Structure formats: C-alpha cells, structure tokens
Amino acid sequence: MNIILMGPVGSGKTTQAEILSKELGLPHIQTGEIYRKIATENSDIGKKIKTILDAGDLIDDETTFEVIDKHLKEITGGFVIDGFPRTLVQAKREVFCVDKVFYIKISDEEALKRLLLRKREDDTSEVIVERLKVYHQETEPILDYYKNQGKLIEIDGSGSIEEVYDRIKNS
C-alpha cells in the first residue's frame, strides 16, 4: 500500500507519516529531510537544492523526479510518503500507484505558529509565508486531482498529535 500525506508546512504530516509507517510496518519517505540532507553536500545538486530551500521555493519537477526515483528504487511492498508530490505535474506523472492520500488541513496562522516554535534554521517568518504562498499556488491543485480519483481523505489537523492520528486511523 502506498500512502501520501499532504498538507501545508507545519501541518504535522511528517509526524503523522512516522506514526502511520510504524503502525503499518511500511517505510517512511520524507522528501523534506532528503532535500535538506542533499543541500549539505558540496555537489551541484546540493548547491542547487540549498539555494531553492533557502528562498522558500519548491524544488523543480526535474530535480524532484531525479531524487524521488532514486529513493523509490530501493523500496518494495509499499510506503508512506510526505512532501511528494508538490505540483500537479508531479502527481500526474504517477511515479507509483497511489492508494490513499491524507490531507491534513490547518490554517496559515496555525502553520506559522507551529513552525516558529520548532526553531529550525530555515523557518523564518518570511520563508514560512513564502512557503505557504507557494503551497497554495502549486500544491493545493493536487487535492482536486486525488479527490476526483476517490483517494483523498481530508483530516482536521488541529489538536494534539494523538487526536490527529486518531482521525487518520478512523477514516
């Protein structure tokens, strides 16, 4: 089973993906973590990804496919992924069969509050606002794509980690 967790930055999709992957015994692919790791490398792709992340922009489709394809080759039997797809082009490429998509919905205000509390180096107010803007423009159109396929399950992302996970588990 291949499961996608989507939501704006700060929605808790990575936390929920970790819990879900453990519960289901499936590997968790976290594209954000993969990108941050590559961004520390002194390579052409590392420098490119670092520049994009520092600006709060999305990694371009071509680079994303290169990174995702490499990581998916190593996995058989399903997975839980968050941070991919981020554009409609990526979703329509159908790199893998999608069984379920959980969309964790929170307000921009809540996202900003949560992200500033985690105190990560790339979480400045300006970058977060830009990431949310890009999310609404580039990623939200994917929701209708999966909704039309009957794969999208909308989850209220407010409340504790346990409350949100219970909503996912019971849907």
Side-chain angles (χ1 to χ4, degrees), residues 151-166:
K151 297 177 181 179
L152 185 74
I153 302 165
E154 191 171 306
I155 303 294
D156 175 3
S158 63
S160 70
I161 292 170
E162 295 78 16
E163 289 169 331
V164 175
Y165 184 71
D166 283 344

Side-chain angles (χ1 to χ4, degrees), residues 108-168:
D108 286 359
E109 295 77 20
E110 179 66 18
L112 183 61
K113 184 174 98 178
R114 289 180 182 184
L115 291 171
L116 290 175
L117 286 173
R118 75 180 181 185
K119 293 183 166 90
R120 209 169 65 196
E121 186 179 313
D122 60 335
D123 284 340
T124 65
S125 294
E126 297 78 22
V127 170
I128 293 167
V129 168
E130 180 61 25
R131 289 170 72 194
L132 287 166
K133 184 178 123 191
V134 170
Y135 175 82
H136 293 305
Q137 292 171 346
E138 299 290 330
T139 306
E140 278 186 348
I142 300 170
L143 301 175
D144 283 337
Y145 176 74
Y146 287 125
K147 186 177 188 176
N148 291 336
Q149 294 180 9
K151 297 177 181 179
L152 185 74
I153 302 165
E154 191 171 306
I155 303 294
D156 175 3
S158 63
S160 70
I161 292 170
E162 295 78 16
E163 289 169 331
V164 175
Y165 184 71
D166 283 344
R167 291 181 197 126
I168 291 172

Side-chain angles (χ1 to χ4, degrees), residues 85-103:
R86 290 196 174 170
T87 67
L88 197 52
V89 168
Q90 292 172 13
K92 288 184 174 182
R93 182 171 177 240
E94 298 185 358
V95 176
F96 51 85
C97 174
V98 175
D99 296 298
K100 288 184 181 181
V101 178
F102 292 105
Y103 169 52

Side-chain angles (χ1 to χ4, degrees), residues 25-36:
L26 297 172
H28 172 213
I29 302 170
Q30 182 191 3
T31 59
E33 187 60 36
I34 293 168
Y35 291 139
R36 282 188 291 280

